[in-house]
Amino acid sequence: MTTKKHNKRKAQLTKYIEQLDEFNWHHPTQVSDMADSQFERDQTNYYLAQLSHVLINNYPVSYNSIGQMLNIDPKKVKRLMTVYSHDFTSIKQVEESLLNRGEW
């Protein structure tokens, strides 16, 4: 894999992680009220797991690499992948789901 492709993919992943936190950016006063929301944690964990599944199935990366890309512990990556089944085959599908999900 070339460095250019690697940097492009890393930029895309950063963009998708930012989309996961979009609600936090647009509604900062409500975030503290929702901090204990199990639904919010489940949704975030679900999409992190889906990104992890896509990365591990489509690219030659390790749990450590995925953890670095998603900014989470590699042990959590493996745990999330065990808990949530594989629902998407590409990063584009994950992105479309995030865009079409509506407000959590």
Side-chain angles (χ1 to χ4, degrees):
M1 179 185 324
T2 64
T3 304
K4 187 176 182 180
K5 285 183 181 180
H6 179 73
N7 289 341
K8 183 178 178 182
R9 183 174 35 210
K10 190 171 181 178
Q12 277 184 319
L13 290 172
T14 302
K15 177 182 155 193
Y16 299 140
I17 294 301
E18 288 172 359
Q19 286 178 347
L20 286 172
D21 291 330
E22 180 180 356
F23 186 83
N24 295 351
W25 287 102
H26 291 292
H27 307 284
T29 58
Q30 296 178 17
V31 172
S32 61
D33 296 336
M34 296 171 31
D36 295 326
S37 170
Q38 184 64 41
F39 179 74
E40 293 293 322
R41 287 192 303 269
D42 288 344
Q43 289 294 310
T44 301
N45 287 339
Y46 171 76
Y47 282 105
L48 287 172
Q50 295 310 312
L51 284 171
S52 299
H53 278 295
V54 169
L55 289 171
I56 206 99
N57 291 330
N58 295 338
Y59 306 99
V61 294
S62 65
Y63 292 116
N64 289 335
S65 297
I66 293 172
Q68 288 176 342
M69 286 185 247
L70 300 179
N71 198 26
I72 59 176
D73 183 30
K75 292 177 186 176
K76 184 174 182 178
V77 170
K78 191 168 185 173
R79 186 172 56 246
L80 288 174
M81 290 178 68
T82 303
V83 171
Y84 295 97
S85 63
H86 180 77
D87 294 336
F88 301 101
T89 56
S90 71
I91 292 176
K92 186 71 174 169
Q93 289 178 335
V94 175
E95 178 185 23
E96 288 172 3
S97 178
L98 281 167
L99 293 173
N100 296 327
R101 76 185 187 279
E103 290 224 8
W104 289 350

